[in-house]
Amino acid sequence: MQKKIILTGDRPTGKLHLGHYVGSLSNRVNLQDKYEQFILIADLQALTDNAERPEILKQNIIEVTLDYLAVGIDPKVSTIFIQSQVPELTELTFYFMNLVTVPRLQRNPTVKTEIKQKNFGSGVPVGFFVYPISQAADITLFKANLVPVGVDQLPMIEQTNEIVRKFNSTYEPIFVEAEALVPKDAGRLPGIDGQAKMGKSLGNAIYLSDDADTLQKKIMSMFTDPTHLKVEDPGKIEGNTVFTYLDYFASDKKTVMEMKEHYQKGGLGDVKVKKYLNEILQELLKPIRERRQHFAKDISYIENIVRAGTEKAKIKASQTMQEVRKAMKLNYF
Ligand code: TRP
């Protein structure tokens, strides 16, 4: 039986962080043997809000690929490729644009939030505004069944499936709807400052590549309960980032529960809890960091992986585009 297909990806605007790890990287690693997995490095999508800084992309494509290999993505089973090097993605985006209305895009919650965050105001670039359509092309060109992503990407998959239905009913039913795969508890890892989301631009991220010292410093600076001033004071668990992280990363749930009770009663200091989290995260990230350092010694190997992945992606892309042009009656002569 043919394996089902995963298409997923990231914008190469920086190194990947723990939010990426819990959001989708761990799912990708766990599923790579069961599915045929394509991982797209979304440089075109990154350009939609970095048009004046294309020079950041090349280095970040390498960084992101290093992060993939470091967490355990196996290039022998997963296909890592670069969006801009598969022009069929751009072609399909252009066809899809006719199937989406302006108000529908304006309603996309992810785009709405990002437009606010990035302070575009009414000066939002057209390319940025339509990037959900390009993302729909990413997913459908590979006929993906499953898309492992963080929760903030759910509206993208919903919009993709609308486009699939519209295309299939307008032309011929060649595309399949995709299912989003979000982390188990559908939660979102907060930043170390307690903000709802970890992000590079928010300056509150723990990177997979952070060295042991940086990691420890970040953990020690984490947001806890601002009213928990003295060790003997009772402390709050809700909104306490250190405990939120323990819920995500500690495998010894019993100890975490005891710590929570102790903390709420009073008598357990922040430093102790942070030290416990530090132990756990050091253990998680050490092998990842070491693998990353190992792969970083040979950048030409990394380039070869991405080059080979892109070649493979192009084959699938050109097959689907032939079907698309036929369905749309664009195969004139
Ligand atoms: N939008 C995703 C992000 O911001 C990146 C992305 C581009 C993607 N195309 C995709 C994710 C297709 C999943 C599927 O990180």
Side-chain angles (χ1 to χ4, degrees):
M1 212 183 68
Q2 228 189 334
K3 280 188 183 169
K4 290 200 170 177
I5 295 172
I6 285 180
L7 182 293
T8 179
D10 300 281
R11 301 181 204 183
T13 48
K15 296 176 179 177
L16 301 183
H17 52 62
L18 266 184
H20 293 111
Y21 186 79
V22 300
S24 68
L25 289 177
S26 49
N27 273 337
R28 299 177 195 176
V29 174
N30 293 335
L31 294 172
Q32 64 181 342
D33 294 314
K34 209 166 145 225
Y35 287 77
E36 177 170 12
Q37 176 159 258
F38 291 91
I39 305 180
L40 160 138
I41 302 183
D43 60 334
L44 290 180
Q45 193 177 105
L47 262 187
T48 63
D49 61 334
N50 286 288
E52 64 298 332
R53 310 190 295 152
E55 67 281 356
I56 68 163
L57 298 173
K58 187 175 177 189
Q59 182 59 30
N60 283 323
I61 287 170
I62 301 291
E63 300 290 356
V64 167
T65 310
L66 282 171
D67 285 324
Y68 289 157
L69 301 187
V71 297
I73 300 283
D74 177 358
K76 286 202 270 319
V77 293
S78 293
T79 304
I80 303 171
F81 71 102
I82 304 179
Q83 191 181 32
S84 66
Q85 308 304 300
V86 182
E88 285 86 350
L89 288 167
T90 311
E91 182 182 354
L92 186 58
T93 302
F94 203 74
Y95 300 151
F96 279 174
M97 284 193 200
N98 300 328
L99 306 177
V100 183
T101 65
V102 171
R104 175 61 184 90
L105 275 174
Q106 281 168 331
R107 276 203 310 274
N108 184 307
T110 309
V111 176
K112 244 187 178 155
T113 315
E114 279 181 304
I115 287 176
K116 268 203 219 108
Q117 263 172 13
K118 294 178 196 293
N119 291 320
F120 281 135
S122 54
V124 53
V126 173
F128 184 84
F129 181 61
V130 302
Y131 95 71
I133 304 179
S134 144
Q135 189 155 339
D138 299 340
I139 295 168
T140 52
L141 191 64
F142 292 88
K143 302 204 175 172
N145 308 98
L146 196 64
V147 187
V149 279
V151 256
D152 57 318
Q153 294 290 306
L154 285 177
M156 298 295 166
I157 317 300
E158 196 181 315
Q159 181 145 29
T160 297
N161 287 335
E162 279 176 37
I163 294 173
V164 165
R165 290 192 290 271
K166 182 84 179 170
F167 185 101
N168 286 352
S169 63
T170 309
Y171 306 112
E172 274 177 45
I174 63 170
F175 287 123
V176 296
E177 291 190 39
E179 194 188 323
L181 177 69
V182 295
K184 255 196 254 88
D185 47 15
R188 178 152 66 181
L189 191 71
I192 55 172
D193 56 357
Q195 282 199 70
K197 196 180 164 177
M198 180 177 282
K200 184 178 73 93
S201 49
L202 302 169
N204 61 5
I206 290 175
Y207 292 95
L208 299 175
S209 46
D210 279 345
D211 61 40
D213 222 34
T214 308
L215 175 60
Q216 181 173 356
K217 285 204 183 90
K218 285 183 180 176
I219 292 170
M220 290 303 161
S221 77
M222 271 172 86
F223 180 81
T224 56
D225 168 7
T227 66
H228 184 240
L229 297 173
K230 293 200 221 82
V231 172
E232 56 275 19
D233 289 342
K236 274 205 292 294
I237 303 298
E238 305 80 49
N240 188 320
T241 319
V242 182
F243 280 105
T244 310
Y245 277 43
L246 284 177
D247 284 338
Y248 271 101
F249 299 106
S251 47
D252 183 353
K253 303 293 174 204
K254 191 164 157 269
T255 299
V256 174
M257 220 172 62
E258 285 164 5
M259 285 181 116
K260 282 182 181 175
E261 277 169 19
H262 193 178
Y263 192 84
Q264 282 171 311
K265 241 185 11 224
L268 179 59
D270 283 352
V271 172
K272 271 222 174 107
V273 191
K274 286 177 171 174
K275 279 194 169 148
Y276 183 55
L277 177 63
N278 184 50
E279 269 171 41
I280 292 167
L281 285 185
Q282 294 287 358
E283 197 180 308
L284 172 73
L285 292 180
K286 184 166 185 262
I288 294 178
R289 185 191 315 127
E290 285 174 356
R291 271 199 301 271
R292 199 182 197 284
Q293 283 164 350
H294 165 77
F295 286 118
K297 285 190 197 132
D298 187 0
I299 296 303
S300 65
Y301 172 73
I302 303 298
E303 289 171 354
N304 283 337
I305 284 172
V306 178
R307 207 178 288 123
T310 302
E311 285 312 312
K312 194 168 160 208
K314 274 169 174 289
I315 295 170
K316 179 97 184 162
S318 109
Q319 285 166 353
T320 307
M321 275 326 281
Q322 282 181 24
E323 289 178 58
V324 170
R325 293 191 204 104
K326 182 162 164 283
M328 295 180 69
K329 306 194 190 324
L330 299 174
N331 55 342
Y332 304 116
F333 310 111

